């Protein structure tokens, strides 16, 4: 009886290990796909007296994206970019007007607003950052 119990436990342990390795392999495949998959977002910025807009334009590494910049943008401003993998989408309008400024930014993916922020004031540094939709 003891030998039968030991055999059953070994069988369950080995079966669980094989199942665990299979799940691990699937997880690695999903990570590989997420790292290489691309997605498009559209940044929109509206308001008044905005001095510059910084945004992730798609270059660089996932955790160190290349930041592109536009000085004295014509408003409303809109830009569609292609990002890769887990790279977050981010747009950062900056306004430094002593009379006050207004800033609204949006990040849109496939018609859905992923993030929207608004700010007003003497020195306004509004910004929107959204998690990659690939990680969902």
């Amino acid at each position: 009886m003891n030998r039968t119990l030991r055999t059953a436990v070994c069988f369950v342990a080995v079966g669980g290990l094989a199942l665990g390795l299979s799940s691990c392999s699937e997880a690695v495949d999903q990570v590989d796909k997420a790292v290489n998959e691309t997605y498009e977002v559209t940044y929109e910025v509206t308001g008044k007296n905005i001095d510059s807009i910084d945004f992730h334009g798609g270059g660089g590494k996932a955790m160190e994206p290349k930041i592109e910049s536009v000085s004295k943008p014509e408003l409303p401003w809109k830009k569609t970019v292609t990002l890769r993998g887990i790279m977050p989408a981010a747009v950062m309008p900056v306004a430094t007007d002593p009379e006050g400024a207004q800033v609204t930014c949006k990040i849109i993916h496939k018609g859905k607003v992923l993030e929207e922020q608004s700010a007003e004031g003497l020195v306004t540094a509004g910004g929107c950052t959204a998690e990659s939709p690939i990680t969902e």
Side-chain angles (χ1 to χ4, degrees):
M1 176 108 164
N2 197 8
R3 187 187 249 311
T4 304
L5 183 58
R6 205 174 328 158
T7 302
V9 168
C10 286
F11 179 75
V12 169
V14 170
L17 180 60
L19 181 60
L21 290 176
S22 173
S23 296
C24 182
S25 175
E26 289 172 18
V28 168
D29 289 345
Q30 288 176 345
V31 168
D32 284 346
K33 179 183 175 193
V35 167
N36 294 318
E37 191 173 339
T38 60
Y39 68 99
E40 272 191 359
V41 294
T42 299
Y43 301 129
E44 292 182 4
V45 176
T46 59
K48 66 178 187 175
N49 302 325
I50 296 173
D51 296 308
S52 65
I53 300 171
D54 295 337
F55 60 95
H56 291 173
K61 297 178 183 177
M63 299 314 290
E64 295 175 9
K66 180 181 176 192
I67 297 174
E68 297 183 27
S69 203
V70 176
S71 294
K72 301 289 182 194
E74 185 176 320
L75 300 174
W77 179 84
K78 185 186 275 192
K79 175 87 174 175
T80 300
V81 298
T82 301
L83 303 175
R84 187 172 67 88
I86 61 172
M87 181 180 290
V91 60
M92 298 141 287
V94 178
T96 56
D97 185 308
E99 299 297 317
Q102 297 175 338
V103 175
T104 297
C105 63
K106 288 183 186 179
I107 299 174
I108 301 166
H109 173 67
K110 294 184 178 180
K112 177 184 172 191
V113 176
L114 298 179
E115 182 68 21
E116 181 174 5
Q117 296 291 325
S118 294
E120 293 183 20
L122 178 62
V123 177
T124 302
C128 294
T129 303
E131 184 177 316
S132 167
I134 292 173
T135 62
E136 297 176 347

